[in-house]
Amino acid sequence: MNLVDFISEFPDEASCKARWKAYRDKVGVICPKCGCREHYWKSDKESYECKQCQYRQSLRANTVMHRSQLPFRYWFITMHLLTSTKKSFSAKELQRQLGHNNYNPIWAMLHKLRMAMGKRDARYELKGMIELDEGFFSTETKVGEKGKKVKRGRGSQKKTKVLVMAESEPVDDQKKKRYKKPRKVNHIKMFAIDDLKAATIDPIVSENVAEESTVNTDNSTSYTNFDKLVKAHRPKVIPKEKVGELLPWVHIAISNAKRLLLDIYHDLKPEYLQSYLNEFCYKFNRRYFGNDLFDRLLIAGVSYKNEFRYNVK
Ligand SMILES: [Zn+2]
């Protein structure tokens, strides 16, 4: 959907509300009190009323818009921009475009949508041949670390560690001409992590990778338990210059994500890095969805109750 189509489809608050309701009805409204799935629609109150216990919830309740005061149209414009732009944009830019006085609610709206993206992607389990490695993303120094001497390199307080996994199938000879790379990528996942201990990484792998998978990594000691988590673990000694060849997609994903973040966000706080990674992975994993992406984000938006919390001074 281009901007002209978007404007004619969603010219006002009423058209956005109507679409939001249609998607809530499609996904199904659940009563938070009794779990009942049957509701009356009270159009005068713009609320659902549970047929069993008469509990009422608003059109926004228990969705990504839970307790939001922003107009529906802001949410729709933001979802449109998030799904139609190749890169991303800052909350400051969005605030300017919406002409809204207050920065914080706009910034929070973006994070709420990214959280819904992350929840949607969490439903996918990676399987088949998987590349796994770590990336080190530049972030602001954590509050407690400020004033301390800055370490250099991988252990630096200015870097946040990110575990990256990519489904990466070898391309067979017949199809080689169509693909420039020796491997074809499907889904990817990225997780900001505090450290590279096996105790941190193992649960993420067992939760996100199917047991029947084969995982390719370097020979880091962080991965020593992988053979218990998946069918096959193939650790290899990988010299730096061979990384692009042996683990191509994790490294393409890492450098693309880094470039994107660097372009748009300055002073990235480590506690919000995951949110930006959610957006990057969500878009990457749906790169062939085209026009459907907006509808998919609407479905994600009505499906998950917001849990994003922030402290506004
Ligand atoms: Zn109920």
Side-chain angles (χ1 to χ4, degrees):
M1 186 166 41
N2 62 37
L3 190 54
V4 174
D5 295 336
F6 176 83
I7 292 167
S8 51
E9 213 168 314
F10 302 105
D12 51 23
E13 192 68 357
S15 53
C16 297
K17 272 187 195 173
R19 182 66 63 92
W20 191 250
K21 183 179 179 296
Y23 274 79
R24 281 208 78 174
D25 292 342
K26 194 160 125 184
V27 169
V29 178
I30 303 168
C31 172
K33 282 270 183 284
C34 75
C36 176
R37 288 166 179 273
E38 305 272 311
H39 289 79
Y40 300 107
W41 172 246
K42 300 272 173 190
S43 55
D44 53 332
K45 306 243 172 3
E46 293 190 340
S47 293
Y48 290 100
E49 185 180 290
C50 174
K51 283 191 181 176
Q52 206 162 284
C53 76
Q54 281 79 51
Y55 179 83
R56 276 193 197 156
Q57 57 178 310
S58 73
L59 197 49
R60 298 169 187 266
N62 304 302
T63 71
V64 71
M65 293 192 203
H66 193 80
R67 292 197 172 151
S68 166
Q69 313 251 319
L70 296 175
F72 278 79
R73 200 149 181 251
Y74 277 21
W75 285 89
F76 272 63
I77 291 167
T78 306
M79 287 189 279
H80 171 67
L81 290 173
L82 278 172
T83 54
S84 64
T85 53
K86 195 125 197 166
K87 294 192 172 181
S88 193
F89 46 87
S90 65
K92 202 89 214 144
E93 177 66 32
L94 182 61
Q95 185 198 356
R96 258 197 302 272
Q97 296 290 342
L98 292 171
H100 194 68
N101 288 335
N102 214 337
Y103 173 74
N104 282 322
I106 303 298
W107 171 85
M109 171 171 62
L110 277 166
H111 279 303
K112 289 170 184 179
L113 286 165
R114 293 187 187 110
M115 191 174 258
M117 291 176 173
K119 287 193 175 176
R120 207 64 183 167
D121 263 354
R123 306 194 320 163
Y124 291 97
E125 198 176 40
L126 302 181
K127 48 188 170 297
M129 295 274 265
I130 289 155
E131 299 173 24
L132 182 147
D133 205 353
E134 295 121 19
F136 298 84
F137 283 66
S138 297
T139 45
E140 244 186 25
T141 315
K142 273 190 183 145
V143 179
E145 300 276 341
K146 274 190 181 149
K148 287 189 188 169
K149 194 167 173 264
V150 175
K151 289 180 245 167
R152 302 186 66 180
R154 295 186 140 207
S156 168
Q157 299 97 319
K158 284 183 180 287
K159 300 268 183 202
T160 299
K161 298 155 194 88
V162 177
L163 186 70
V164 184
M165 298 178 262
E167 290 175 335
S168 158
E169 296 295 333
V171 175
D172 63 42
D173 285 339
Q174 286 182 318
K175 290 181 187 154
K176 259 194 180 131
K177 277 181 200 142
R178 266 173 52 207
Y179 298 101
K180 289 190 188 97
K181 300 275 171 213
R183 295 176 158 273
K184 185 174 167 278
V185 67
N186 194 6
H187 276 80
I188 61 165
K189 285 179 185 263
M190 293 187 175
F191 297 96
I193 50 177
D194 290 335
D195 57 61
L196 303 176
K197 290 177 188 145
T200 304
I201 294 174
D202 288 351
I204 299 175
V205 170
S206 63
E207 199 165 303
N208 291 283
V209 177
E211 267 178 62
E212 70 267 23
S213 307
T214 298
V215 179
N216 296 307
T217 65
D218 63 24
N219 63 336
S220 158
T221 51
S222 307
Y223 314 142
T224 43
N225 302 328
F226 280 14
D227 52 354
K228 296 186 199 88
L229 305 174
V230 290
K231 189 181 82 185
H233 175 215
R234 294 186 189 146
K236 277 198 185 82
V237 179
I238 304 181
K240 230 182 172 179
E241 67 278 9
K242 287 263 181 184
V243 143
E245 200 180 303
L246 294 165
L247 301 170
W249 284 110
V250 280
H251 287 278
I252 291 169
I254 289 168
S255 61
N256 287 352
K258 277 184 183 172
R259 199 178 319 136
L260 185 88
L261 294 178
L262 214 63
D263 269 0
I264 300 155
Y265 312 105
H266 311 287
D267 303 331
L268 195 64
K269 290 192 173 32
E271 56 268 43
Y272 298 120
L273 176 62
Q274 186 62 53
S275 182
Y276 300 109
L277 298 176
N278 287 351
E279 181 188 342
F280 178 80
C281 291
Y282 184 90
K283 284 175 142 180
F284 185 94
N285 291 339
R286 289 159 186 77
R287 60 202 177 279
Y288 303 125
F289 280 29
N291 286 339
D292 289 340
L293 201 52
F294 177 76
D295 288 328
R296 299 300 178 104
L297 187 54
L298 269 177
I299 291 173
V302 299
S303 299
Y304 302 107
K305 180 181 173 181
N306 173 52
E307 284 166 7
F308 181 77
R309 297 278 174 273
Y310 66 108
N311 302 315
V312 186
K313 281 174 198 138

